[in-house]
Amino acid sequence: DSIELSPFWRELTTKSARVLETTAADGMQTSSLTKNLQSMRRPSRLSSHSDLEAVQIAVRRVSRSSLSDKQTCNARTLYGRIPIQPHGHFRILWDAVGIMLILVDAIMIPLTFAWSLETDNTAGGTFLATLSRLSLMFWFLDIPLNCVTARYVRGNLVIAFPQIIYNYMTGWFWFDIIIITMDVLLITNPELQSPALKSARGLRAIRGLRLARLLKANKISHILEEATAAAGRQWLLLLGALVKTAVIALVATHWMACAWFFIGISTSGDSWLVVTNALNVGWASQYLHTISWVIAPPSPPPIRPGSTGEVFFHIMLVLFVWAVVGGSIGSMTGTLAELRAINSEATQKRREVRAYLYSQATPIELSSRIMRFVDCTLRQKDTRIAVDLSLISPSLQSELHVSQRGHIFTGHPLFELVANLYPAAFASLCGAFQKRVCDKGESVFEEGNFSTVMYFTAVGGKFVLRSTSGKELKFKDSRWFNELGLFTEGSIHDASLWAATFSDIFTLSGQELGNCVEDMAACAGLMCEYAKEFIAQISRAGRQTSEVQEQCCWIACQQNRYYVSENPDPDLDIARIDIQLESFPKDVRYKNLPEFIRHAIAGELDDQEILSETLQTLLVELNPQIGTHIIFSQRAERDRSESSCLSILSLVANQFEQFRSPQLTPRLTEDQWHELQDIVAWIQPDEEDVHAVLVLLAIFLLDKSRRLVGQLPEHVQKEGAVLYLLDCVRHVVPSASTLSDRCLELVKRTLHLHEKFNFAQFLQGENTPANVLKLKNYVGTDIHLFKFYVFFLLGFMSGLGAGAGSKFMDSKNASPVILGCRTLQCLMHSTPQAIYWSFIVGKAARNGLSSATATDLVLNRFACLGRVQDKAGFDALRAAWGMVGLHRRNALTRHFLADGINQRAFLFKFLPDCISNARANRVVKLPSFLEALVEVTESLESFGDSHAATSKLIQVDLSDFADFIKVVQNRYIFQSCISRCQFRFIGANMYIDMSHSNWSRCNEAESDMANLAHSVKDVLYKIDGIETAVLKDIEVKAPTAFQDDSLSL
């Protein structure tokens, strides 16, 4: 069976495409695709722009390791290393140095204040001076670093520079400036270093203001504590708490000792220093003496009874010792209690599980396995502690998901691309994955089972994969399985997977993935484009094994235009590509293309292999090694282009067997060949025309390359890509430089003409006489341009099947092409209506069908649209037509006979796909489709009137309707689907969106109510049949405009 997108993804594809088309129609495009994608990245469930930026940083952190060197360089260019993260390694190290300097100040400043230590020429003075200068340099550099360090504001990480600077300016900036200014004055001002001021208490007080930096110690200490806690080690938390408590106690003791000495030296008369004879020893001994006094105050203290200040301070010392010792003990006790609570919680859970197993009389072997699994679960950091997520903002939850799981999913090329382009969507995606813990030996999925989710194995776990052949593969890295289940209704596992140890598995459904991206149109477009290409690659491979799916996902990602835009290949840069004609070896017999054409037209070259090799040499775009098509990985397009060129040469040289050599049955007949020769004779191409058409056919399909078109300006449409190459990047198409100015202009006008008129739509009856009028108006009186265009069409259609000749133009396919070209020959002297309907009538006549009535004309056009080419198919079409009521048939007749010139007409794009899907779907069938088509035309008429459409011809995109017809599985849902559709204009085109109301019910099971509604419909059909029998003569008459005596077919 063919692999199809699930209804959900079909709906999402349409929704995202419409949003992007609306954006483009409103002129909101930017100068490049990347900028356009950037502009459409919306936060989606994040509370602010700063939240989105924080998620971007988190995504970068986990995905950078999986990026290539070039991608990493691009990521750094886009985001850079600035602003500095407050919890980054550099900032933590810098803050640790700051804490050390603050502690040094906390020790040295009280010492210099109490003992009047100076920065003189002594060893101690030099040390103090050096320390002061190092501290000054550090805090001076800290100011600009604070200006580029991200900050938390109300729990949100702010990384926008204006906000960072504003918060710093309104916070610590002025404090830092004042303190540094005083430091600079103390170090550099000679007057402040004079002996007269060295002992001044005012100067000491100024130096003491530097202790205000202790206010910053709490902030820096908090950051370091968080970094320690992030390591997740209990002993680190305990050690950190103990060190912090000890440092605070020692610094406080040091301050009290300095203060006690300062009181002693400042007290007049006999202070405690005099009483204890401490004035006669060095300052180091004095310091130890004061420290011992503070730690263990003597009792009774040697203080003079009249020294009230010393007595009072002594009392404060005793209270201080009690407070410090008690606070330290309490802090350490609280830390130990917290750790004990964590361990006791785990123990309690184990006890509860064991009690439950005992109460259920669980066997010992099973009980042992369960307890081992419980122990493994409790050991995991992310499952041991339950967290109330309502305490965490959505943005922080997103960052948490990315940091925990992002490195697992960025191994997949699609998710890595989403992480680089849309961090917010990737963060939501990380949260959407469902985690599952597997026991040792537990099966993840079994071969042959049906699944609708994608599996990811977590890094660190050990798994065993057993293929169909019985081969086992053991691995412990992150891998993914069953990606096909994301985008389809489900798939069958081709292998079995089980856990070899306690391991984690993540699963994701297609619905959950779509919910993550549906609010971001550009990201949804990326996903949908990838999904379609991935399924196409799987279909081409013909297998759905895990290996095939992994290979196809890489190919689909590399083919994605978003990936191409984000990862341009420097070797494919059109500014650097330089294909010189002289760089290719020339056949010694033919020096240039005109000379080769001359000999080919004369019929001197009948060897197809020589023809092919010569074309590959002279038309460098076709070279199979280094030609333009090969450079942009377009081998299939190169083969078609070469086939078109070979077919043109066979046509002008009248080489019948050469032309049809690659064909199978039914091969082109001699009569058809003679008709083709008649068309060539009418064109009368000269050597320059052949030269121009060969160049045009060689370069025409270059617009299929996404890597090429993606480098062109956005205003260049896909059809205008080749024109842009000819005008601005001609070195990519060097064969164009061999054309004369007249031929080059002819090629350009032909490309413009091809944009105006779609010959393939004309052959299918998909367009209208109004399109023929556009062709006629553009051609005007330039018969040579028109003949060259027909000449180009012959070559282009002949090469569609590739091959060394024309594989496509066999007897079956050549008939409509010949008829279409013969009909267009009358463009200059016939009306558009006559040309259009003569083609429909002529095609019907070749199939033995009548065109006498309006119904015949409509059915003949419908047969073209439905690609009906035999009598059995036409009989089934006529039978379906007969099952439709008269007034509905009349409505369809009016629609299919409208010319878009005198009457309003709707050009239904993808109508052939709708008909084909309706015939293939047993629920829909042609009669129900015709009924629905009537509702579409009636709705379009009223919608067009309400929007006052000025043009008589309105293009209507039915692609979404065609997809819906293909998958709908409920008759009533289909019969009533038009009432739930949405009609909208985007630019000059109209679109029919099936809406969520239809897509969500396309797989709805048949119910009694639905069957009743269908029965009512059947009754209405029978009433219509009776009405038809009574009013059988009242039908829309056939138009006479197609009858033209000047036409000879």
Side-chain angles (χ1 to χ4, degrees), residues 41-116:
R41 298 175 193 173
R42 294 186 298 209
S44 176
R45 302 184 179 90
L46 301 181
S47 58
S48 67
H49 179 66
S50 61
D51 294 338
L52 175 60
E53 292 173 328
V55 173
Q56 289 174 336
I57 294 171
V59 170
R60 264 198 328 279
R61 188 180 301 121
V62 301
S63 64
R64 184 169 293 161
S65 59
S66 62
L67 296 174
S68 63
D69 293 340
K70 178 176 174 300
Q71 291 171 316
T72 304
C73 181
N74 291 341
R76 290 174 180 173
T77 302
L78 179 62
Y79 299 107
R81 296 184 178 275
I82 296 176
I84 300 172
Q85 298 306 302
H87 294 93
H89 296 301
F90 171 78
R91 190 67 209 194
I92 289 178
L93 179 60
W94 184 267
D95 289 338
V97 174
I99 282 286
M100 296 299 296
L101 290 176
I102 290 176
L103 288 177
V104 169
D105 279 347
I107 294 172
M108 297 306 300
I109 290 177
L111 278 176
T112 58
F113 192 85
W115 275 272
S116 301

Side-chain angles (χ1 to χ4, degrees), residues 688-946:
E688 280 198 333
D689 291 336
V690 177
H691 185 181
V693 81
L694 287 178
V695 172
L696 176 56
L697 292 171
I699 67 177
F700 181 71
L701 293 178
L702 286 174
D703 63 358
K704 302 295 183 182
S705 172
R706 292 174 180 172
R707 289 192 177 271
L708 174 60
V709 177
Q711 300 181 57
L712 306 183
E714 287 187 5
H715 68 272
V716 178
Q717 300 298 322
K718 186 178 180 182
E719 293 79 4
V722 179
L723 278 169
Y724 184 84
L725 295 178
L726 290 174
D727 289 333
C728 305
V729 203
R730 195 174 297 178
H731 60 274
V732 177
V733 285
S735 294
S737 61
T738 65
L739 296 174
S740 63
D741 292 340
R742 183 185 71 86
C743 289
L744 184 60
E745 184 62 26
L746 185 63
V747 168
K748 292 180 181 180
R749 293 199 65 195
T750 303
L751 289 170
H752 282 295
L753 185 57
H754 184 72
E755 294 179 19
K756 303 289 183 183
F757 182 76
N758 192 316
F759 184 66
Q761 286 185 348
F762 177 75
L763 296 182
Q764 289 189 131
E766 193 173 354
N767 55 18
T768 65
N771 300 98
V772 181
L773 179 62
K774 288 183 178 180
L775 172 65
K776 186 172 184 177
N777 291 337
Y778 187 83
V779 170
T781 59
D782 193 346
I783 185 63
H784 183 253
L785 169 64
F786 179 62
K787 287 183 177 181
F788 183 82
Y789 173 64
V790 175
F791 193 34
F792 159 72
L793 290 178
L794 284 178
F796 176 69
M797 299 300 294
S798 298
L800 289 179
S806 178
K807 185 178 181 180
F808 175 80
M809 199 75 81
D810 56 15
S811 177
K812 180 180 178 181
N813 294 327
S815 179
V817 174
I818 293 171
L819 179 61
C821 292
R822 291 286 304 277
T823 306
L824 289 179
Q825 285 180 248
C826 306
L827 180 72
M828 310 303 292
H829 54 272
S830 297
T831 64
Q833 294 91 336
I835 293 171
Y836 183 84
W837 288 109
S838 293
F839 171 75
I840 301 295
V841 171
K843 189 172 182 180
R846 295 194 177 195
N847 293 326
L849 304 176
S850 171
S851 301
T853 65
T855 298
D856 292 335
L857 289 177
V858 171
L859 289 177
N860 291 338
R861 184 184 174 191
F862 208 78
C864 292
L865 289 164
R867 306 181 182 100
V868 176
Q869 297 184 354
D870 53 20
K871 189 176 184 302
F874 188 81
D875 291 341
L877 178 60
R878 184 175 288 276
W881 178 266
M883 297 176 65
V884 179
L886 176 62
H887 72 278
R888 291 182 173 83
R889 293 207 303 266
N890 284 341
L892 289 174
T893 301
R894 283 190 295 271
H895 162 70
F896 282 111
L897 296 183
D899 55 20
I901 302 173
N902 300 314
Q903 310 94 24
R904 176 187 290 169
F906 297 99
L907 194 160
F908 286 139
K909 299 171 67 176
F910 301 99
L911 182 57
D913 292 339
C914 293
I915 299 173
S916 176
N917 293 342
R919 294 168 64 186
N921 192 329
R922 61 178 181 81
V923 172
V924 179
K925 299 294 181 64
L926 277 180
S928 295
F929 170 71
L930 293 175
E931 294 278 349
L933 192 60
V934 172
E935 295 185 41
V936 170
T937 56
E938 292 175 348
S939 300
L940 289 174
E941 287 288 349
S942 59
F943 189 81
D945 292 338
S946 64

Side-chain angles (χ1 to χ4, degrees), residues 218-239:
N218 186 45
K219 182 191 74 169
I220 299 176
S221 174
H222 182 66
I223 293 176
L224 295 177
E225 286 179 4
E226 290 179 354
T228 304
R233 296 291 186 267
Q234 295 184 6
W235 66 270
L236 278 179
L237 293 173
L238 178 60
L239 180 61

